[in-house]
Amino acid sequence: MKSDLLIAVTQLAAERKLPHAAVVSAIEAGIASAYKRDPEARGQDVIVQLNPDDGDVTVRTVVHVVEEIEEPGAQVTVKDAREKYVKEARAGDIIHTGFLKYMPGRIAAQTAKQVIMQRLREAERDLVFDEYVDKAGELLTGTVQRIDPRFITVDLGRAEAIMPPTEQAQFERYRPGQQLKFFILEVGRTVRGPEIIVSRTHPHLLKRLFEVEVPEIFNGIIEIKAIAREAGSRSKVAVKSNQPGVDAVGACVGLRGIRIQNVVNELLGEKIDVIEWDEDPATFIANSLSPASVERVQLGEEEQSALVVVQDRILTLAIGRDGQNVRLAARLTGCRIDIKGATEAARIAAAEAEPPPVVEEAPPAEPEAVVEEEAPAPAPEPAVAEAPEVLPVEIEEAVAEEDEEAPAEPIEVEEPAVVQEAAAIVEAAALAPEIEEPPIEEEAPESEPEMDEEEIALLALEEELAALEREEAERKEAEAAEAMVDVSSEDLWQVDFPASDEEESVGVLRFAEDIAGFRQEGEGRRRRGGGRTRRRR
């Protein structure tokens, strides 16, 4: 029959998911720490052994052989150990000195409990560390447990991991209880236990997801050569087939895109471009700019640089939103990519093809000529500034006198430069009226003579009379228009004109004036008759 101690050991091992030996070792350490405080131990070290078969507990006192004593009672020197205990004792040996009776009633239960719990926690930490230390770089499923500004706590089942802000995708939103796949970035040991750091932005997370969804990648038939990723937004994956007849891109996409769609759903909608890897750098660069089609790729003279020419209408597609497509392509290929439109590339090529203009160098000037050009003679002041001071009349008189006094034949006389300049100015001024005639001014219309007050008043009176005449003429025209009668009217010819006593009772129509008078009289009668009728009523 098992003892109560063995039952407790079995229960602890089952609850904490620890090995049975680890629980036994923790209990032995707890009992030993409690017996060290017993006076019968006399300061010696205590070792407890628990028999896992029958539950018997053996308590022994021991001393440790050391070179220098740090704990009196529990340690002895080599010399004392050889004299008292064993003649062949050496440093590091443990010498059994006696037994203590196992009496549970005498044990300090609280001390033993604390030591046992501490040892159990240490055993758990060691077990967790040993379990996850080999899983660095693997893919695990975890549950978001707590969201803090510093980090997010993820429950991995046996352990808790943390995800720093640097490892969180920018466009992903996390909530407690959300189950996701995480990439184990690092596993370390700290005072508080093992520390596990997970990531959702590492490129290998995408690689592990493809290995799970695509068996060809897991088996090595298809190889992932490069990955460029902007977590939560877009990624590019370059794949290569190691077996002839296997389409690498088609295998990753799957039937109707089922495989790639599972990866996209796991990454919460991140876009993924799967392209084919090629050994030729130009072809690989052209493929990396998918979905844009490339006309040509020109590798630069510098290392890791290339010029890509695309059609003008798909230039924005090749660059991508905010340059994302070309940026990911550059990361994937490891080259610096410069994209140009076809029109711009042709213009640049034409400009480079034109030979540079040849500049003819002027022959070097002689030293004397250079001196003459650098120090020219002072130019005379312009004659325009002095011309206004000479009146035209005086110039004409001076010219006339010179003509009269001039001899028949010109006599060349050497005069100073100043005199010659003055003579040139006078001659130019004299010839100016003959060469440049002033423009003929158009005769302005003669202005009307000014009128006195009487003439103004008379003119105003004439205008008033003319206005009155116009008003009178308009009035007469209006009256004539009102007096006109429509002779085609039937009621005009059916009216019986009243006759006087001398005349017969027959109407006679002779003039338009009679018609107008008749109408006036008829209107008066009707108006008066209507009034009488109203009075009767």
Side-chain angles (χ1 to χ4, degrees):
M1 182 178 179
K2 289 186 177 180
S3 63
D4 295 338
L5 186 57
L6 288 179
I7 295 174
V9 169
T10 305
Q11 185 177 358
L12 282 174
E15 289 178 356
R16 296 183 175 271
K17 298 179 181 180
L18 295 174
H20 191 271
V23 177
V24 170
S25 176
I27 292 176
E28 290 176 350
I31 296 173
S33 62
Y35 268 98
K36 285 181 182 179
R37 300 183 180 183
D38 192 278
E40 294 183 3
R42 292 173 301 195
Q44 296 180 2
D45 194 8
V46 177
I47 296 177
V48 179
Q49 291 181 349
L50 175 62
N51 190 346
D53 297 330
D54 54 7
D56 293 339
V57 178
T58 304
V59 181
R60 296 182 300 171
T61 58
V62 295
V63 291
H64 299 273
V65 181
V66 295
E67 296 289 343
E68 296 180 359
I69 297 176
E70 296 179 358
E71 296 180 8
Q75 297 176 349
V76 294
T77 61
V78 177
K79 182 180 179 180
D80 294 341
R82 290 176 179 178
E83 292 178 357
K84 294 180 180 180
Y85 303 108
V86 181
K87 295 182 179 180
E88 298 178 355
R90 292 176 297 179
D93 293 343
I94 298 175
I95 300 176
H96 171 66
T97 59
F99 293 91
L100 295 178
K101 187 176 181 181
Y102 176 65
M103 299 177 63
R106 297 177 54 196
I107 301 175
Q110 191 65 24
T111 302
K113 180 181 177 181
Q114 292 178 358
V115 173
I116 292 172
M117 296 303 296
Q118 182 179 358
R119 289 298 181 93
L120 290 177
R121 285 194 293 268
E122 291 178 357
E124 288 179 348
R125 293 170 182 173
D126 294 340
L127 184 64
V128 170
F129 178 79
D130 295 338
E131 181 180 353
Y132 286 95
V133 68
D134 297 332
K135 292 185 178 182
E138 298 295 330
L139 189 68
L140 293 179
T141 301
T143 304
V144 178
Q145 190 172 9
R146 293 188 304 273
I147 299 177
D148 297 331
R150 296 180 299 170
F151 51 80
I152 294 178
T153 304
V154 180
D155 184 12
L156 299 178
R158 292 292 306 274
E160 289 185 354
I162 60 174
M163 183 167 61
T166 55
E167 303 299 332
Q168 300 173 17
Q170 182 180 1
F171 300 99
E172 291 183 352
R173 297 293 178 265
Y174 308 104
R175 62 182 184 276
Q178 184 180 15
Q179 287 189 351
L180 297 171
K181 292 187 183 298
F182 298 90
F183 179 75
I184 306 299
L185 189 64
E186 182 182 351
V187 179
R189 187 193 295 272
T190 61
V191 178
R192 310 174 90 180
E195 184 180 42
I196 305 173
I197 300 176
V198 297
S199 174
R200 286 280 297 179
T201 61
H202 203 278
H204 285 180
L205 172 65
L206 187 59
K207 182 178 181 181
R208 299 304 179 195
L209 289 174
F210 269 105
E211 290 177 354
V212 172
E213 297 293 337
V214 184
E216 291 84 355
I217 295 178
F218 182 78
N219 296 331
I221 299 175
I222 298 175
E223 181 182 359
I224 296 178
K225 300 294 292 185
I227 297 177
R229 186 181 180 211
E230 289 186 359
S233 179
R234 190 173 182 180
S235 300
K236 286 183 179 291
V237 182
V239 295
K240 175 190 175 183
S241 175
N242 295 328
Q243 181 176 337
V246 177
D247 183 10
V249 178
C252 293
V253 174
L255 182 63
R256 297 181 182 178
I258 186 64
R259 293 179 175 178
I260 192 69
Q261 189 61 39
N262 292 337
V263 178
V264 170
N265 294 338
E266 186 60 40
L267 296 177
L268 304 182
E270 181 178 329
K271 298 179 181 179
I272 302 174
D273 296 338
V274 181
I275 63 175
E276 187 174 359
W277 184 84
D278 198 288
E279 295 181 356
D280 183 16
T283 306
F284 185 36
I285 291 173
N287 295 340
S288 66
L289 291 173
S290 176
S293 58
V294 177
E295 289 189 355
R296 71 175 187 272
V297 178
Q298 181 180 352
L299 299 177
E301 297 179 358
E302 301 178 0
E303 295 182 357
Q304 305 299 327
S305 65
L307 173 63
V308 179
V309 179
V310 298
Q311 297 180 4
D312 295 337
R313 60 184 179 84
I314 62 172
L315 180 60
T316 55
L317 179 64
I319 296 175
R321 180 180 297 178
D322 299 331
Q324 186 183 56
N325 191 50
V326 67
R327 184 168 59 251
L328 289 175
R331 293 182 188 174
L332 189 70
T333 59
C335 296
R336 186 176 61 85
I337 301 175
D338 186 12
I339 298 181
K340 299 290 183 182
T343 305
E344 185 180 0
R347 181 179 57 81
I348 294 175
E352 292 178 353
E354 292 180 359
V358 180
V359 180
E360 296 182 358
E361 297 181 358
E366 296 180 1
E368 296 181 358
V370 173
V371 173
E372 291 180 0
E373 291 180 359
E374 291 180 355
E381 297 181 358
V384 180
E386 298 181 358
E389 297 180 1
V390 183
L391 299 177
V393 178
E394 296 176 358
I395 293 172
E396 291 179 359
E397 292 176 357
V399 172
E401 292 177 358
E402 288 179 3
D403 292 341
E404 293 176 359
E405 296 177 359
E409 296 180 2
I411 301 172
E412 296 181 1
V413 180
E414 295 183 0
E415 296 179 355
V418 178
V419 177
Q420 293 179 0
E421 292 178 6
I425 294 171
V426 173
E427 184 177 358
L431 296 177
E434 298 179 1
I435 297 172
E436 298 181 1
E437 296 181 358
I440 300 173
E441 298 181 357
E442 297 182 358
E443 294 182 359
E446 295 181 358
S447 60
E448 297 181 358
E450 298 181 358
M451 296 184 296
D452 53 5
E453 296 179 357
E454 294 180 357
E455 292 177 352
I456 294 173
L458 183 60
L459 181 61
L461 182 60
E462 290 176 356
E463 292 178 355
E464 291 179 0
L465 291 175
L468 291 175
E469 290 177 0
R470 287 194 298 272
E471 292 178 359
E472 183 66 19
E474 293 174 359
R475 185 181 62 78
K476 289 180 179 181
E477 291 176 1
E479 291 177 357
E482 293 177 359
M484 292 177 65
V485 178
D486 188 3
V487 296
S488 64
S489 173
E490 296 179 358
D491 61 350
L492 176 63
W493 305 103
Q494 295 176 3
V495 176
D496 294 335
F497 295 95
S500 62
D501 297 337
E502 294 82 9
E503 299 176 353
E504 296 179 358
S505 180
V506 178
V508 180
L509 180 64
R510 292 179 296 179
F511 301 100
E513 290 82 358
D514 295 339
I515 296 173
F518 170 74
R519 284 193 170 185
Q520 291 178 359
E521 292 177 0
E523 289 177 0
R525 286 196 300 270
R526 286 196 298 272
R527 191 180 297 109
R528 288 193 297 272
R532 287 195 298 271
T533 304
R534 285 194 297 271
R535 282 195 296 271
R536 288 193 206 99
R537 290 179 183 178

